[in-house]
Short mmCIF file of all heavy atoms in Angstrom, two decimals:
data_model
loop_
_atom_site.label_atom_id
_atom_site.label_comp_id
_atom_site.label_asym_id
_atom_site.label_seq_id
_atom_site.Cartn_x
_atom_site.Cartn_y
_atom_site.Cartn_z
N GLY A 620 17.40 -1.11 -13.46
CA GLY A 620 17.43 -0.96 -12.02
C GLY A 620 18.08 0.32 -11.56
O GLY A 620 18.24 0.55 -10.37
N THR A 621 18.48 1.18 -12.51
CA THR A 621 19.08 2.46 -12.15
C THR A 621 18.07 3.58 -12.37
O THR A 621 17.10 3.43 -13.11
CB THR A 621 20.34 2.74 -12.98
OG1 THR A 621 19.98 2.80 -14.37
CG2 THR A 621 21.37 1.65 -12.77
N VAL A 622 18.33 4.71 -11.73
CA VAL A 622 17.50 5.89 -11.91
C VAL A 622 18.41 7.07 -12.20
O VAL A 622 19.62 7.00 -12.01
CB VAL A 622 16.65 6.18 -10.65
CG1 VAL A 622 15.65 5.07 -10.41
CG2 VAL A 622 17.54 6.36 -9.43
N ARG A 623 17.81 8.14 -12.63
CA ARG A 623 18.59 9.32 -13.02
C ARG A 623 18.58 10.36 -11.93
O ARG A 623 17.53 10.70 -11.38
CB ARG A 623 18.01 9.90 -14.32
CG ARG A 623 18.70 11.15 -14.80
CD ARG A 623 18.05 11.65 -16.07
NE ARG A 623 18.61 12.93 -16.47
CZ ARG A 623 18.23 14.09 -15.98
NH1 ARG A 623 17.27 14.14 -15.07
NH2 ARG A 623 18.79 15.21 -16.39
N ASP A 624 19.76 10.86 -11.58
CA ASP A 624 19.88 11.99 -10.67
C ASP A 624 19.20 13.18 -11.35
O ASP A 624 19.61 13.60 -12.44
CB ASP A 624 21.36 12.29 -10.42
CG ASP A 624 21.58 13.39 -9.39
OD1 ASP A 624 20.81 14.37 -9.40
OD2 ASP A 624 22.52 13.28 -8.60
N PRO A 625 18.14 13.76 -10.75
CA PRO A 625 17.40 14.83 -11.42
C PRO A 625 18.16 16.14 -11.55
O PRO A 625 17.71 17.05 -12.23
CB PRO A 625 16.16 15.00 -10.53
CG PRO A 625 16.62 14.56 -9.17
CD PRO A 625 17.58 13.42 -9.43
N VAL A 626 19.32 16.24 -10.90
CA VAL A 626 20.09 17.48 -10.97
C VAL A 626 21.19 17.42 -12.02
O VAL A 626 21.26 18.24 -12.92
CB VAL A 626 20.70 17.82 -9.59
CG1 VAL A 626 21.61 19.05 -9.68
CG2 VAL A 626 19.59 18.06 -8.57
N CYS A 627 22.07 16.40 -11.93
CA CYS A 627 23.22 16.36 -12.85
C CYS A 627 23.02 15.40 -14.01
O CYS A 627 23.81 15.41 -14.96
CB CYS A 627 24.49 15.97 -12.09
SG CYS A 627 24.54 14.24 -11.54
N GLY A 628 21.99 14.54 -13.96
CA GLY A 628 21.71 13.64 -15.06
C GLY A 628 22.40 12.30 -14.99
O GLY A 628 22.19 11.45 -15.86
N MET A 629 23.22 12.06 -13.98
CA MET A 629 23.93 10.79 -13.87
C MET A 629 22.97 9.65 -13.52
O MET A 629 21.98 9.85 -12.81
CB MET A 629 25.02 10.88 -12.81
CG MET A 629 26.22 11.71 -13.17
SD MET A 629 27.47 11.74 -11.86
CE MET A 629 27.81 9.99 -11.68
N GLU A 630 23.29 8.45 -14.03
CA GLU A 630 22.53 7.26 -13.66
C GLU A 630 23.07 6.73 -12.33
O GLU A 630 24.27 6.55 -12.17
CB GLU A 630 22.67 6.19 -14.74
CG GLU A 630 22.13 6.60 -16.11
CD GLU A 630 20.62 6.72 -16.13
OE1 GLU A 630 19.95 6.08 -15.29
OE2 GLU A 630 20.10 7.46 -16.99
N VAL A 631 22.19 6.49 -11.37
CA VAL A 631 22.61 6.01 -10.06
C VAL A 631 21.82 4.77 -9.68
O VAL A 631 20.70 4.56 -10.13
CB VAL A 631 22.43 7.10 -8.97
CG1 VAL A 631 23.33 8.29 -9.25
CG2 VAL A 631 20.98 7.56 -8.89
N ASP A 632 22.43 3.94 -8.84
CA ASP A 632 21.79 2.72 -8.35
C ASP A 632 21.13 3.02 -7.01
O ASP A 632 21.82 3.36 -6.04
CB ASP A 632 22.84 1.62 -8.19
CG ASP A 632 22.23 0.28 -7.77
OD1 ASP A 632 21.02 0.24 -7.47
OD2 ASP A 632 22.97 -0.72 -7.74
N PRO A 633 19.80 2.91 -6.92
CA PRO A 633 19.10 3.22 -5.66
C PRO A 633 19.56 2.35 -4.50
O PRO A 633 19.43 2.74 -3.33
CB PRO A 633 17.63 2.95 -6.00
CG PRO A 633 17.55 3.04 -7.48
CD PRO A 633 18.86 2.53 -7.98
N ASN A 634 20.10 1.16 -4.79
CA ASN A 634 20.50 0.24 -3.74
C ASN A 634 21.95 0.42 -3.31
O ASN A 634 22.41 -0.27 -2.38
CB ASN A 634 20.29 -1.21 -4.21
CG ASN A 634 18.84 -1.50 -4.52
OD1 ASN A 634 17.95 -1.11 -3.78
ND2 ASN A 634 18.58 -2.17 -5.65
N ASP A 635 22.67 1.32 -3.96
CA ASP A 635 24.06 1.57 -3.59
C ASP A 635 24.11 2.35 -2.28
O ASP A 635 23.34 3.29 -2.07
CB ASP A 635 24.75 2.37 -4.71
CG ASP A 635 26.26 2.39 -4.55
OD1 ASP A 635 26.73 2.72 -3.44
OD2 ASP A 635 26.95 2.09 -5.53
N ASP A 636 25.03 1.95 -1.40
CA ASP A 636 25.13 2.61 -0.08
C ASP A 636 25.51 4.08 -0.21
O ASP A 636 25.21 4.88 0.68
CB ASP A 636 26.18 1.88 0.77
CG ASP A 636 25.73 0.48 1.18
OD1 ASP A 636 24.51 0.23 1.16
OD2 ASP A 636 26.61 -0.36 1.49
N ASP A 637 26.19 4.45 -1.29
CA ASP A 637 26.62 5.84 -1.47
C ASP A 637 25.54 6.72 -2.10
O ASP A 637 25.70 7.94 -2.18
CB ASP A 637 27.87 5.90 -2.35
CG ASP A 637 29.08 5.26 -1.67
OD1 ASP A 637 29.14 5.32 -0.43
OD2 ASP A 637 29.93 4.70 -2.39
N THR A 638 24.45 6.12 -2.56
CA THR A 638 23.38 6.88 -3.19
C THR A 638 22.52 7.56 -2.13
O THR A 638 22.09 6.92 -1.16
CB THR A 638 22.50 5.97 -4.06
OG1 THR A 638 23.31 5.39 -5.09
CG2 THR A 638 21.37 6.76 -4.70
N LEU A 639 22.26 8.84 -2.31
CA LEU A 639 21.44 9.61 -1.39
C LEU A 639 20.03 9.74 -1.94
O LEU A 639 19.80 9.59 -3.15
CB LEU A 639 22.05 11.00 -1.18
CG LEU A 639 23.51 11.00 -0.70
CD1 LEU A 639 24.04 12.43 -0.62
CD2 LEU A 639 23.65 10.31 0.64
N SER A 640 19.06 10.02 -1.08
CA SER A 640 17.68 10.08 -1.53
C SER A 640 16.88 11.13 -0.78
O SER A 640 17.27 11.57 0.31
CB SER A 640 17.00 8.71 -1.36
OG SER A 640 16.94 8.36 0.01
N VAL A 641 15.76 11.52 -1.38
CA VAL A 641 14.82 12.46 -0.77
C VAL A 641 13.41 11.99 -1.13
O VAL A 641 13.14 11.65 -2.28
CB VAL A 641 15.04 13.90 -1.28
CG1 VAL A 641 13.88 14.81 -0.89
CG2 VAL A 641 16.34 14.47 -0.75
N GLU A 642 12.52 11.99 -0.15
CA GLU A 642 11.13 11.61 -0.39
C GLU A 642 10.34 12.84 -0.84
O GLU A 642 10.43 13.91 -0.23
CB GLU A 642 10.51 11.04 0.88
CG GLU A 642 11.13 9.74 1.38
CD GLU A 642 10.92 8.59 0.41
OE1 GLU A 642 9.90 8.62 -0.33
OE2 GLU A 642 11.76 7.68 0.36
N THR A 643 9.58 12.68 -1.93
CA THR A 643 8.74 13.76 -2.44
C THR A 643 7.31 13.27 -2.60
O THR A 643 7.03 12.08 -2.42
CB THR A 643 9.25 14.26 -3.81
OG1 THR A 643 9.02 13.24 -4.79
CG2 THR A 643 10.74 14.58 -3.74
N ASP A 644 6.40 14.17 -2.94
CA ASP A 644 5.01 13.78 -3.15
C ASP A 644 4.87 12.81 -4.31
O ASP A 644 3.96 11.99 -4.35
CB ASP A 644 4.15 15.03 -3.41
CG ASP A 644 4.07 15.93 -2.19
OD1 ASP A 644 4.29 15.42 -1.07
OD2 ASP A 644 3.80 17.13 -2.37
N GLU A 645 5.78 12.91 -5.29
CA GLU A 645 5.72 12.03 -6.46
C GLU A 645 6.47 10.72 -6.27
O GLU A 645 6.40 9.83 -7.11
CB GLU A 645 6.28 12.75 -7.70
CG GLU A 645 5.41 13.88 -8.22
CD GLU A 645 5.50 15.13 -7.35
OE1 GLU A 645 6.54 15.30 -6.67
OE2 GLU A 645 4.53 15.92 -7.35
N GLY A 646 7.21 10.59 -5.17
CA GLY A 646 7.99 9.38 -4.93
C GLY A 646 9.37 9.73 -4.41
O GLY A 646 9.59 10.82 -3.87
N THR A 647 10.30 8.82 -4.56
CA THR A 647 11.65 9.00 -4.05
C THR A 647 12.59 9.44 -5.17
O THR A 647 12.56 8.87 -6.27
CB THR A 647 12.20 7.69 -3.44
OG1 THR A 647 11.29 7.22 -2.44
CG2 THR A 647 13.56 7.92 -2.81
N GLU A 648 13.39 10.46 -4.91
CA GLU A 648 14.41 10.90 -5.84
C GLU A 648 15.77 10.49 -5.29
O GLU A 648 16.01 10.55 -4.09
CB GLU A 648 14.37 12.43 -6.03
CG GLU A 648 13.09 12.95 -6.64
CD GLU A 648 12.96 12.65 -8.13
OE1 GLU A 648 13.94 12.12 -8.70
OE2 GLU A 648 11.91 12.96 -8.71
N TYR A 649 16.68 10.07 -6.20
CA TYR A 649 18.00 9.58 -5.79
C TYR A 649 19.09 10.46 -6.38
O TYR A 649 18.94 10.99 -7.50
CB TYR A 649 18.18 8.14 -6.25
CG TYR A 649 17.20 7.18 -5.60
CD1 TYR A 649 15.98 6.89 -6.21
CD2 TYR A 649 17.49 6.59 -4.37
CE1 TYR A 649 15.06 6.03 -5.61
CE2 TYR A 649 16.59 5.72 -3.77
CZ TYR A 649 15.37 5.45 -4.39
OH TYR A 649 14.48 4.60 -3.80
#
């Protein structure tokens, strides 16, 4: 249920209130 931050490589929880996101053509990045 976690995804990888594409910049620093950390595993993040998309449902965490502190997790930030950006919509892209390929989907959502967290």
Side-chain angles (χ1 to χ4, degrees):
T621 61
V622 295
R623 178 181 174 277
D624 185 321
V626 175
C627 71
M629 288 181 58
E630 299 290 336
V631 296
D632 184 352
N634 299 317
D635 193 309
D636 292 339
D637 294 329
T638 299
L639 305 176
S640 63
V641 168
E642 296 295 332
T643 69
D644 293 338
E645 290 76 25
T647 305
E648 297 286 354
Y649 297 91

